[in-house]
Amino acid sequence: MANQFFRKRFPYGITVVALLLCAIVSIVSTIAYGARTAKKTAVYVAASRSLPIYSVETDEKKVAISFDCAWGVEYTDTLLEVMEKNDVRCTFFAVQFWVEKYPEYVEKIVAAGHEIGTHSRTHPYMSKLSEAEIRDELTTSSAAIEKLTGKKVTLFRPPYGDYNNLLIDTCKTMGLYPIQWDVDSLDWKNLSATELAMRVINGAKNGSIILCHNNGLHTAEALPLIFSTLKNRGFTFVPIGELIYRENYVIDHNGRQHENA
């Protein structure tokens, strides 16, 4: 009886309901497809982006500590003394004007067994430069370092951690490995030695690249705790050039370098 009443009052009701249901299903399917497509697009964009090396995938308990050099040398001797005492070799990234102002420190760094990469010529935001300007920054700064050390420069750290596809792709054509970091000590914020050390200790993992600065106010003071704690956990410290893969590698969307088997 109810069905007959419905048909008399709403002769097209069933058809309308059916059409509405079809429309709803169609809308839901479209939304779901759009979400899947957007996800795929996002993955494609991330995968197609040119990235520097933030860290290295490795089963070995190796990490690399690095120091950016752009201004001053007040704490550099102490840094070198602490690393010698703890048998640690590291990587310094030096700006050309720093190299030219403190050539004796470039020589000290290399004599102590450490590695030097370029940190640009003038410390600009590299993503704002043309390809010609990028090449000039990298060529002249590398030449200044090589003139003092007699060793070819193969590593580059972008000032401010600023980069784009053009910068990374240009580096690669010049035989330079662009290096970022996955552990930031934040020593430039003048954190206390303990705070600084705990940031590094808690953030470090296999293949980590640690960012510090040669003129950090409490960096040298924090190093003994960093070295002793991580060594007790089984880690060894190596220069970045000995941590990264030089060939047959891929870089994932997090900037982690993987050996390409």
Side-chain angles (χ1 to χ4, degrees), residues 113-134:
H114 305 297
E115 177 180 55
I116 300 185
T118 176
H119 196 34
S120 79
R121 180 168 65 88
T122 62
H123 206 270
Y125 284 94
M126 301 287 285
S127 67
K128 297 181 180 180
L129 305 183
S130 67
E131 181 178 347
E133 290 170 326
I134 289 171

Side-chain angles (χ1 to χ4, degrees), residues 92-187:
F92 287 85
F93 289 98
V95 178
Q96 184 175 339
F97 58 72
W98 188 91
V99 170
E100 293 173 342
K101 187 174 182 178
Y102 306 107
E104 69 277 16
Y105 277 90
V106 174
E107 293 170 354
K108 282 184 182 182
I109 288 168
V110 173
H114 305 297
E115 177 180 55
I116 300 185
T118 176
H119 196 34
S120 79
R121 180 168 65 88
T122 62
H123 206 270
Y125 284 94
M126 301 287 285
S127 67
K128 297 181 180 180
L129 305 183
S130 67
E131 181 178 347
E133 290 170 326
I134 289 171
R135 288 182 178 277
D136 179 58
E137 287 279 339
L138 299 179
T139 300
T140 60
S141 58
S142 296
I145 295 170
E146 291 170 359
K147 181 179 178 181
L148 288 170
T149 65
K151 297 182 179 181
K152 183 173 177 56
V153 172
T154 60
L155 305 179
F156 163 64
R157 172 165 287 156
Y160 312 106
D162 173 62
Y163 64 89
N164 58 8
N165 283 8
L166 177 61
L167 174 63
I168 302 306
D169 294 342
T170 302
C171 283
K172 292 177 181 177
T173 66
M174 297 178 68
L176 290 169
Y177 295 86
I179 305 296
Q180 204 78 331
W181 60 86
D182 67 325
V183 180
D184 190 347
S185 68
L186 293 183
D187 58 352

